[in-house]
């Protein structure tokens, strides 16, 4: 158990709909990251938030948006869903290293993921 | 999006055998990471590498940061059934967590 929780575990919806995925980071972690894992695209970084603010953006579609709330949980909103959005969505969290010596991804802990199926 | 080329894509090995897999990129990376993903779970970090030429071990796992900074290798010695899973490499070229993941190597261990 990584300490990162994600809900729901599974989600089935129809094209054109909108869904919200939720992530609670590990206690004390300020950063939250969202990833999409599909069969043909592998694991893709979507977006990162640090202490409520967007820090980095990856391959996130305009139909998708995210936010991090004051209690540090994060939500990923997916709208106008298409069949190709079916994938596993992972959230990860990390704590910033001391002294600002940012080294990379070593402190990221992944949640169990939300499996989204768009019919 | 960009992906790292990981090979082999899949492998079947006998329990007790050693395993090698690698990851190559057309870009230079400052950090290389290796993750393992079990079915239905999120990736779990195995080893992190920060310096060209660096060789780091974690139990039976050993990974190396290639000197060209465009590749990395992971070796698993004396494989056991619980090594089954998908192994991903990931590279970070700097900045805030902008990472590229490999395509994955699916490992099956035959008892």
């Amino acid at each position: 158990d990584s300490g990162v929780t994600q809900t729901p575990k599974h989600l089935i919806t129809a094209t054109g709909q909108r869904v919200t995925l939720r992530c609670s980071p590990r206690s004390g972690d300020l950063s939250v990251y969202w990833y999409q894992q599909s069969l043909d695209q592998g694991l893709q970084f979507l977006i990162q938030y640090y202490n409520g603010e967007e820090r980095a953006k990856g391959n996130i579609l305009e139909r998708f948006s995210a936010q991090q709330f004051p209690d540090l949980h994060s939500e990923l909103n997916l709208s106008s869903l298409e069949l190709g959005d079916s994938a596993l969505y992972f959230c990860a969290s990390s704590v910033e290293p001391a002294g600002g010596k940012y080294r990379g991804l070593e402190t990221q802990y992944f949640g169990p993921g939300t499996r989204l199926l768009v019919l | 999006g960009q992906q790292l080329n990981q090979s082999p894509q899949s492998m079947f090995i006998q329990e007790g055998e050693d395993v090698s897999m690698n990851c190559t990129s057309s870009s230079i990376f400052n950090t290389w990471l290796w993750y393992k993903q079990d079915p239905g779970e999120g990736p779990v970090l195995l080893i992190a590498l920060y310096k060209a030429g660096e060789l780091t071990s974690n139990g039976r796992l050993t990974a190396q940061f290639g000197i060209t900074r465009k590749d990395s290798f992971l070796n698993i010695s004396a494989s056991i059934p619980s090594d089954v899973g998908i192994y991903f490499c990931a590279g970070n070229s700097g900045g805030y967590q902008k990472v590229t993941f490999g395509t994955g190597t699916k490992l099956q261990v035959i008892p």
Side-chain angles (χ1 to χ4, degrees), chain B residues 6 12 36 63 69 75 91 104:
Chain B
Q6 212 172 320
F12 286 81
K36 182 189 178 213
R69 295 168 63 193
N75 296 311

Side-chain angles (χ1 to χ4, degrees), chain A residues 11-23:
Chain A
L11 197 49
I12 302 174
T13 188
T15 55
Q17 295 297 305
R18 173 190 168 94
V19 297
T20 297
L21 312 183
R22 184 188 168 102
C23 168

Side-chain angles (χ1 to χ4, degrees), chain B residues 37-52:
Chain B
Q37 186 176 20
D38 292 327
E41 303 288 331
V44 174
L45 182 67
L46 299 173
I47 292 179
L49 302 159
Y50 305 106
K51 195 174 170 183

Side-chain angles (χ1 to χ4, degrees), chain B residues 4-5 10 23-24 30 32 45 47 58 69 83 91-92 99 103:
Chain B
L4 300 173
N5 294 316
S10 64
C23 208
T24 59
N30 296 327
W32 281 97
L45 182 67
I47 292 179
N58 177 7
R69 295 168 63 193
D83 290 334
N92 174 268
V99 62
T103 47

Side-chain angles (χ1 to χ4, degrees), chain B residues 89-104:
Chain B
C89 62
N92 174 268
S93 54
Y96 292 117
Q97 304 285 1
K98 288 190 179 180
V99 62
T100 304
F101 276 82
T103 47

Side-chain angles (χ1 to χ4, degrees), chain A residues 50-75:
Chain A
Y50 173 74
N51 205 19
E53 294 189 3
E54 181 184 307
R55 176 170 264 182
K57 224 170 193 178
N59 302 317
I60 187 166
L61 299 172
E62 285 191 11
R63 299 183 286 109
F64 296 179
S65 64
Q67 54 183 341
Q68 186 179 26
F69 295 87
D71 67 352
L72 301 177
H73 91 270
S74 178
E75 292 181 356

Side-chain angles (χ1 to χ4, degrees), chain A residues 26-46:
Chain A
R26 294 187 322 152
S27 177
D29 285 359
L30 299 179
S31 280
V32 169
Y33 316 83
W34 286 98
Y35 293 86
Q36 179 192 57
Q37 186 176 38
S38 56
L39 284 175
D40 59 343
Q41 288 289 317
L43 202 60
Q44 301 279 335
F45 167 68
L46 296 178

